[in-house]
Amino acid sequence: MKGTGMCVETIRWKNGNVELVDQRLLPARLRYVRCGTLKDIYEAITKMKVRGAPAIGVAGAYGVYLGVRGSKASSGEGFLKDVKKAVAELAGSRPTARNLFWALERMERVAVRNSGRGVGTIKKMLLKEAHDILREDDRICRALGRNGAVLIRRGSTLLTHCNAGGLATASYGTALGVMYSSKGRIKKVYVDETRPVLQGARLTAWELTSAGIPAVLITDNMAASVMATGEIDAVIVGADRIAANGDTANKIGTYNLAVLCAYHKVPFYVAAPASTFDLSTRTGRGIKIEQRHPDEVRKICGKHISVPGIDVHNPSFDVTPAKLITAIITELGLIKRPDAEKIKRTLAAGREKKPGKA
């Protein structure tokens, strides 16, 4: 199955429903699933039909609207209660991705600001906000990609982990967005398979090859060996939540790469939109790490690869200390050697700019 590379439309609004690429089926099959209720969105997020922090945020925004569009509330005050209930339910779907909470907060603010208006009007404004979040995501990722492209030298060989491409956003990608924006300068990209759910092998390899960027698939435990050859010019990954000091939560195995980069003196870049930063969390120690179902480790493609029922430790994410990060690439610019002051200053300056403008 050939994909559509950087043009994949991960999330779309069609005929009054949300349609999402079911990422569990890739690369064998490209299929959209229709979500017409909050329950559908919740299930899509928890079962990883949709994944990637920005994509989860967009899906969550639409989930709020779907959760209240049938509300029978007769007043703005009563409707606001329904909105808050929908927000609370969706907030429980995946705890680590900051973008989900950022989108839910935006939706709730729209309802609060307009609670004195008619219920029908508030519903329309909520749908408009979800549409805005979807459209902004593409502009933001493209700006982020352009900003990151300046870091990529001609003939570069890169390495990435998990999937931070169009499938992890609305359409373009963060870490892979940087690669798309510097496509002509990239020699090849090593792709970690990313155990236990194999997002690198299934999704990133599919996206890069579809976009015409040479990709080489490796198992996660080959990264050190490849880096030791001196062939890797930079590692670029995405992020699910970034603390105020720059500590970054991303797919499990990211921290391993950052340590390897420090040893081998390879630049380690994190690509993420401003919505991924959580200034209320001072350091990475405060980031809640999601624990996934043990069968993700016990099985591959539904078949046991170990002793059935064996105890499993399966955190979905790990935290990379800011001191190991060469730069965070955002739509607002580059934050080199990130710390709390640099992050605060960059985000404050960004509030004065329009979404998606670098």
Side-chain angles (χ1 to χ4, degrees):
M1 164 72 73
K2 284 192 175 183
T4 51
M6 65 182 108
C7 299
V8 63
E9 192 176 17
T10 307
I11 303 172
R12 62 193 183 195
W13 178 260
K14 189 173 181 180
N15 299 325
N17 296 288
V18 177
E19 292 187 344
L20 310 166
V21 173
D22 189 341
Q23 299 186 32
R24 302 171 305 171
L25 305 180
L26 289 169
R29 186 180 177 192
L30 176 60
R31 185 174 78 90
Y32 284 86
V33 291
R34 184 174 299 159
C35 299
T37 67
L38 182 152
K39 182 180 178 181
D40 292 339
I41 294 291
Y42 183 92
E43 181 183 76
I45 294 172
T46 56
K47 294 189 175 180
M48 294 179 70
K49 295 177 185 178
V50 62
R51 43 143 301 281
I56 291 172
V58 174
Y62 278 113
V64 173
Y65 170 73
L66 293 175
V68 299
R69 69 173 170 182
S71 170
K72 302 301 182 184
S74 58
S75 68
E77 185 178 346
F79 184 72
L80 181 57
K81 291 180 181 179
D82 289 342
V83 170
K84 290 184 175 182
K85 181 180 178 182
V87 166
E89 186 171 347
L90 287 160
S93 58
R94 295 201 73 181
T96 303
R98 168 60 192 160
N99 311 67
L100 170 63
F101 297 88
W102 168 84
L104 296 179
E105 289 161 7
R106 275 185 62 166
M107 296 296 282
E108 186 171 339
R109 281 198 298 270
V110 167
V112 169
R113 284 198 305 265
N114 296 280
S115 58
R117 308 179 74 171
V119 170
T121 298
I122 305 174
K123 289 181 182 180
K124 290 178 182 178
M125 297 187 77
L126 285 172
L127 180 57
K128 179 184 180 299
E129 188 73 4
H131 288 333
D132 287 347
I133 290 171
L134 174 67
R135 285 189 291 265
E136 286 172 20
D137 180 87
D138 183 73
R139 295 197 301 271
I140 286 169
C141 287
R142 289 177 187 274
L144 184 158
R146 290 191 297 270
N147 289 339
V150 303
L151 300 169
I152 309 304
R153 301 191 305 270
R154 185 168 296 280
S156 288
T157 293
L158 308 175
L159 188 149
T160 191
H161 187 70
C162 195
N163 174 262
L167 291 167
T169 64
S171 63
Y172 193 73
T174 54
L176 265 60
V178 173
M179 296 176 194
Y180 297 147
S181 296
S182 51
K183 179 179 175 181
R185 298 197 293 277
I186 295 175
K187 179 180 178 181
K188 63 183 172 183
V189 179
Y190 280 98
V191 179
D192 278 353
E193 64 175 354
T194 320
R195 279 284 287 147
V197 189
L198 304 174
Q199 294 97 326
R202 295 187 302 104
L203 307 178
T204 298
W206 181 78
E207 285 200 51
L208 290 174
T209 55
S210 297
I213 296 176
V216 179
L217 181 64
I218 60 174
T219 62
D220 297 354
N221 56 2
M222 294 177 186
S225 164
V226 172
M227 215 174 287
T229 67
E231 186 180 4
I232 304 300
D233 296 298
V235 171
I236 310 177
V237 300
D240 287 81
R241 188 180 293 254
I242 302 175
N245 72 335
D247 292 350
T248 296
N250 192 51
K251 180 57 56 184
I252 190 74
T254 300
Y255 180 31
N256 303 31
L257 291 178
V259 172
L260 289 171
C261 283
Y263 181 80
H264 292 287
K265 296 180 173 54
V266 172
F268 181 84
Y269 299 120
V270 172
S275 56
T276 308
F277 288 87
D278 177 11
L279 299 188
S280 68
T281 300
R282 289 181 57 252
T283 72
R285 291 191 184 94
I287 297 175
K288 183 177 181 180
I289 300 299
E290 175 188 2
Q291 289 284 336
R292 299 286 298 174
H293 196 282
D295 278 349
E296 288 183 350
V297 176
R298 294 175 185 143
K299 299 179 180 181
I300 292 181
C301 298
K303 295 185 178 181
H304 276 284
I305 60 168
S306 187
V307 179
I310 191 170
D311 285 345
V312 168
H313 178 57
N314 186 22
S316 192
F317 308 95
D318 57 25
V319 176
T320 297
K323 64 183 179 181
L324 296 179
I325 298 172
T326 307
I328 300 176
I329 305 164
T330 79
E331 75 275 21
L332 305 175
L334 305 177
I335 307 175
K336 297 181 179 180
R337 294 298 173 190
D339 60 29
E341 184 54 39
K342 291 177 184 176
I343 289 169
K344 185 178 179 181
R345 187 166 61 244
T346 299
L347 296 182
R351 293 191 192 102
E352 301 176 5
K353 297 180 181 181
K354 292 182 180 179
K357 300 293 183 182

